[in-house]
Amino acid sequence: MRNHLPQAPQGTQLAEGIHADEFTGADVPDVLSETFGYKLKRKLLGPPLVNEQMSEQRLSKPLALGVLSSDGISSAAYGTEEMLIELVPIVGVAAFTLILPVTLVILAGVALVVLSYREVVSVYTRAGGSYVVARENFGPRVAQVAAVALLIDYTVTVAVQVAAGSAAIVSAFPQLANTPVIGPYILIVISVIAVAIMCYGNLRGIREAGRAFALPTYLFSVSVGLTIIIGLIREVTVGLPHVTVQAGAYQLGHSTAGLFSFAMIYMLARSFANGGSSLTGIEAVSNAVSALRPPEGRNARQILVTQGSIVAFLIGGISWLSHVTHAIPYEAGYPTVLAQEANAVFGSSAHFMYFVVQAATALILFTGGNTSFSGFPFLASFVAGDSFLPRWLTKRGHRLALSNGIIVLTVVSLILLVATKAQVNGLVPFYAIGVFTGFSIAGFGMARYHKRVKETGWRRRLVINRTAAIYTAIVVVIFAVVKFTEGAWVIVIIFPTLVFLLIRLNREYRMEAEVLENIGDRRAAGIPARQPNYSRRVVLIFVDSVDLATFAAIRYARGLRPTSMRAVHFVIDSAQAETLREDWVRFGQDIPLEMIDTPDRRLLRAAVELVSHEAAQKSTNVTVVLPRRSYSPLLGRLLHDRTADKIAAVVSQVPNSAATIIPFDVPSRVQVLHARQAARVAADGDGAERAGSVRTKEKSATTAPAAVRQDGNGAQPPAPPAGVTPIGALTAPGKAIVEGRVRSVEIRPVEQNCVFECTVADATGELTAMFYGRTHIPGVEPGARLRLQGKVSVREDGPVMINPAYQLVARESAD
């Protein structure tokens, strides 16, 4: 359905002597004024960050150890307690002896996982971890098992870490449990507040790569390590007292079953499964290898070994102190086993250290939970970029954060916290299946890599990765069995369901792409290359890809017979813009493609400003043509946003302008495609499904006009530096050196040649540079800084340089 807004013909009287010709782009203050929602967002989150402020900070090894290891090291705070929760109610005091062999098995797992991931970071030095390993070695579909495992891991990590951090706070200040009204729910209250703060901070665009995020890791490691060392010294010298058991502790069991009876083996398996939560977070380094300083692989291996050593020392030490002090877990979750041990070790003489340990524990647990707020959105964006999750997860928000992923993570983690009453033991069944599935896939993937590549020492590496994969796979099976009735059944059901949904979404995207990108049939049908005789009208075609929907909009726009017509793409992703430009040239469109730099990603405002600028010309009528791909109501709304409708709504408010939406019905084309495939299958008899995009291999020799222009969407033209002539001062012919930001480039056919034209702006004005015989200059793109040197000629529309010498200048650093 096309959306036409009524227009008054040129010169038509509207009301009280006002004519349509008298409207200009200046008459749109209400359209350009900020909405209440945007004002509120700006007030809460701060001013928007522009794209060039998105830089990657490389981490040194000490800083990376603190930032990336917080999740893994913090798991030691509750690993021993989770093992005791399964042992104490069954075997009673014997639990404090059995905790030691169970811990040794856990430490063996730590060693295997660290060794396995050393091979991962040696080969795959970019971010992605087990997802990339699975995708490269098993293909994109199997990789979705790793994707689901990691997404579940990140989600439950927030809940577990925050719940454990809340328990550490209440252990230090038990009087909080007596607070009126909220006392019985104090863990939930603290957890919800903590998650809300994390969500707000990450929406504002905080960066993990800061010293403040490394401090809790070192503080926790040192304080708990000191607790263990002093505890060992006191045990050897004066002895350590047993902790005093209070009301609310797990009741001591009195089982007399033999050590190798079924009940005992089942109990030990449950304890081992709970203790497996201590291994979570070790893989975080592999998910952020690209953030390390070169050589990334070697630095990542050293960090992994250091992290694993710290984790093993802390887990072993905390388990030994529980063996000595008989620290017992409590049903309410507090005081924690670690808190009881610290109290027993430091006593009354150094009781302040008890609070230091609790503070360090709470800080590292909250920091470990916060790591998921960068890991989850990034992974979701990565998977969405592969077309296995909705593409709106790839969009960056007001402060360059992946806001949609952050919000999804916040909502799901809050649901988990409330459903389990912020009890760590209630969350563990959701936790380890996802974590250990990721470990297992990474191990089997690397084993396949070694077997295929057969690099130096591949047999030794194959044994390491395969052993780690089998170990972690056994943990997954044990967890699924022994924790099935306690909540693991939810993951057992959700896990394959999510994998199926991701593959199903990818199939939908592929089918849509096959319809939209089947340009070969469109070219075979033929689009007339003739230039019609147009009436006085400017037509702008807003495009985001080169496909049949765009060509349908172009065909409609030609029928409007405009005096000028060009396609417009708002650049929020330079890589996508470059792909669009190449496709435009390849498929030989004979109208200009203008690519407007939109560094703050506000498409609606950019569209209004462009249309207002064009409509400001006297006797000019602007028509915006918007191709809209129509999908099924439910699934289409999930997979695609309604950008065309939103742009049409705001553009149509500009006087002397209209918005026309050209729909392209994808579902009907998908049905036709299904019918054709069914006919081919019936004819062939092989039943093979043909999937993937059908792309033409032809290349057009015709050069398409292209333009890029920055229209004031957040990035102001720079002031000219010293030694450079301000563009505004170029009023007479002569030689000059100028410098500014690229606002537009244009490639125009000129007889048998072409001209690459770019507009460079500084704070004083604009200059046009023309390069004959060029269709593209690498690096000259929206927002680029460019220095030009050459002869200047002055025209009516401003100064011009022909074939000047040029130099790309490093962009300004963000303030």
Side-chain angles (χ1 to χ4, degrees), residues 122-273:
S122 297
V123 177
Y124 298 99
T125 55
R126 62 186 187 275
S130 59
Y131 178 76
V132 172
V133 174
R135 190 179 65 175
E136 297 295 329
N137 293 283
F138 297 116
R141 291 199 172 191
V142 176
Q144 302 320 304
V145 178
V148 171
L150 287 172
L151 291 173
I152 292 175
D153 176 17
Y154 282 129
T155 303
V156 186
T157 291
V158 175
V160 171
Q161 299 282 82
V162 168
S166 302
I169 292 176
V170 181
S171 296
F173 304 101
Q175 58 270 27
L176 290 173
N178 299 322
T179 305
V181 182
I182 64 172
Y185 314 103
I186 189 63
L187 292 180
I188 298 177
V189 172
I190 296 176
S191 299
V192 170
I193 293 173
V195 171
I197 293 174
M198 291 178 189
C199 176
Y200 175 71
N202 283 274
L203 288 176
R204 283 188 61 90
I206 62 173
R207 297 290 182 264
E208 281 195 358
R211 299 182 186 277
F213 287 91
L215 179 61
T217 302
Y218 288 106
L219 181 61
F220 175 80
S221 301
V222 171
S223 61
V224 177
L226 190 62
T227 303
I228 294 170
I229 293 172
I230 294 177
L232 293 175
I233 294 173
R234 287 197 59 186
E235 179 192 359
V236 173
T237 56
V238 298
L240 276 177
H242 288 182
V243 300
T244 302
V245 180
Q246 301 175 359
Y250 279 90
Q251 294 297 316
L252 293 174
H254 302 282
S255 175
T256 57
L259 185 60
F260 297 103
S261 68
F262 175 80
M264 185 63 70
I265 293 174
Y266 183 75
M267 178 270 298
L268 290 173
R270 288 172 61 89
S271 178
F272 167 72

Side-chain angles (χ1 to χ4, degrees), residues 571-580 781:
V571 179
I572 58 177
D573 185 328
S574 58
Q576 180 187 358
E578 178 61 18
T579 301
L580 177 64
E781 57 186 25

Side-chain angles (χ1 to χ4, degrees), residues 498-516:
L498 288 177
V499 173
F500 170 79
L501 289 177
L502 264 60
I503 295 175
R504 181 65 183 84
L505 291 179
N506 176 256
R507 180 184 176 187
E508 186 70 20
Y509 273 129
R510 286 189 291 108
M511 297 302 294
E512 293 170 1
E514 187 168 350
V515 171
L516 293 171

Side-chain angles (χ1 to χ4, degrees), residues 261-342:
S261 68
F262 175 80
M264 185 63 70
I265 293 174
Y266 183 75
M267 178 270 298
L268 290 173
R270 288 172 61 89
S271 178
F272 167 72
N274 269 19
S277 60
S278 302
L279 276 68
T280 58
I282 292 177
E283 79 288 355
V285 176
S286 70
N287 294 330
V289 181
S290 58
L292 304 178
R293 291 179 181 173
E296 293 89 346
R298 187 179 70 183
N299 290 338
R301 291 195 299 272
Q302 293 174 355
I303 293 170
L304 270 170
V305 172
T306 305
Q307 174 192 1
S309 302
I310 294 173
V311 170
F313 173 73
L314 296 181
I315 294 174
I318 294 172
S319 293
W320 180 263
L321 290 182
S322 70
H323 164 71
V324 175
T325 63
H326 288 194
I328 190 169
Y330 281 74
E331 295 180 359
Y334 54 86
T336 63
V337 166
L338 180 57
Q340 296 173 64
E341 293 174 355

